[in-house]
Amino acid sequence: MKADEVLTAHHDILRGLLRDLAQTADDQTELRSRLRDDLLRELEIHTQMEDELFYPAVRDVSPRLSVAHAEHRQIDDQLATVMRMSVDDPEFRTEVRMLEKTLRHHTMEEEERMFPQAQALGEERLRRLGAQLEQRQRELAASGGMRLIIRLKRATLRLTGGHRVRP
Ligand SMILES: [Fe+2]
Ligand SMILES: [Fe+2]
């Protein structure tokens, strides 16, 4: 697959996870926790794949890289808010919907503007890059290092301010 196809397929997974998470009820705490962990893991993997491999590769053909980086930070901040909340918080769904909106906008911009610009790299380069992205995706998904990063990040998010203490 070409790089843009690999990333679009992963966008579908991210959008699906957020849609499923937004549809859970306040009392489906176990399902919510699981979907939230899946979302954290997949978003981490996606951001790393793009920041390490894809964005540097399109630097010369796409003028909107700084916007894309800023959007990654915004997604990270909104994800942090979702991670800090208790899954049965009445505001949980609202926060998830806001994250979903930001992610939909960001992925749409990539698919409709950045990926068409990336075609200037040529079919062969995009296929090689696609193979690298898939390999990195597999490595990150399988690595204990990634699991450790996620655990540490989750712990950090919960320890830093904004923690909602339930009565
Ligand atoms: Fe992105
Ligand atoms: Fe993306």
Side-chain angles (χ1 to χ4, degrees), residues 46 50 55 72 106 110:
H46 193 77
E50 289 186 341
Y55 286 3
H72 276 194
H106 176 70
E110 288 184 340

Side-chain angles (χ1 to χ4, degrees), residues 57-94:
V58 298
R59 195 173 6 226
D60 294 335
V61 294
S62 178
R64 61 178 316 280
L65 271 189
S66 57
V67 179
H69 279 297
E71 286 171 354
H72 276 194
R73 284 194 295 275
Q74 191 191 347
I75 288 169
D76 233 31
D77 289 347
Q78 287 182 275
L79 178 68
T81 303
V82 169
M83 292 309 297
R84 278 199 296 262
M85 290 180 103
S86 173
V87 284
D88 58 354
D89 192 301
E91 294 299 314
F92 186 85
R93 187 197 311 276
T94 308

Side-chain angles (χ1 to χ4, degrees), residues 1-16 42 46 49 111 115 134 137:
M1 280 202 286
K2 284 157 55 183
D4 52 306
E5 292 166 343
V6 174
L7 293 172
T8 301
H10 203 218
H11 286 171
D12 286 338
I13 290 172
L14 295 173
R15 288 184 288 238
E42 294 302 327
H46 193 77
M49 285 160 70
E111 287 168 24
F115 295 174
E134 284 184 306
Q137 186 177 10

Side-chain angles (χ1 to χ4, degrees), residues 9 45 58 99 119:
I45 290 173
V58 298
L99 172 59
Q119 302 310 308

